[in-house]
Amino acid sequence: MNWLKSQDQCKSDRGHLVIIESEEEQDFLTALVEMEGREDKSYWIGLTDQNIEGDFVWVDEMPLDKQKTFWAKRDHDHGQEPDNWIEESISPGEDCVHLQKSKIYSGWYDAGCEMQKKRICEAPCSVHG
Ligand SMILES: [Ca+2]
Ligand SMILES: [Ca+2]
């Protein structure tokens, strides 16, 4: 699904797209993604700069802590995400973030919000007696 539909889908399960708050959480999710073993290991997370370009905010409206980011360094062209890639008639900019597992470097990439990807939802653990 696209990013917005992914978030709606998570909400309908009383959750939200995942908010990554620590290196442990990042490592945990990367390991899960790895275990799933798909070729295209790319999943929406709850981070976007749709409102103000370059100003990344989590889906709970908390701003991204710049000390706790896991942006990817791209292997093929030695680029650094987020790059808000703009190219006429191909990419109008990139405002939604996905976690991607690659052989060399796993991390966050900004991408077009309309791209179809899997998602990682997070929901509170409910305990009923
Ligand atoms: Ca952007
Ligand atoms: Ca990008």
Side-chain angles (χ1 to χ4, degrees), residues 74 80-85 94 96 98 108-112:
R74 293 194 307 274
Q80 172 72 54
E81 299 286 329
D83 60 352
N84 197 49
W85 183 50
E94 299 179 314
C96 291
H98 62 100
W108 300 350
Y109 292 73
D110 59 347

Side-chain angles (χ1 to χ4, degrees), residues 21-89:
E21 292 155 305
S22 66
E23 188 160 1
E24 290 72 26
E25 190 170 12
Q26 171 73 13
D27 290 348
F28 171 73
L29 294 174
T30 304
L32 280 185
V33 164
E34 170 80 331
M35 277 195 312
E36 209 197 330
R38 296 170 71 239
E39 284 299 309
D40 171 26
K41 295 167 182 165
S42 177
Y43 298 78
W44 289 126
I45 63 173
L47 188 61
T48 178
D49 72 337
Q50 286 177 110
N51 289 339
I52 302 169
E53 176 52 39
D55 198 348
F56 285 91
V57 179
W58 292 107
V59 288
D60 65 355
E61 297 178 1
M62 287 295 288
L64 175 63
D65 180 347
K66 297 209 166 52
Q67 309 299 316
K68 285 185 201 159
T69 66
F70 304 96
W71 296 111
K73 295 169 185 67
R74 293 194 307 274
D75 308 330
H76 61 281
D77 63 357
H78 307 290
Q80 172 72 54
E81 299 286 329
D83 60 352
N84 197 49
W85 183 50
I86 297 175
E87 190 159 320
E88 198 176 343
S89 77

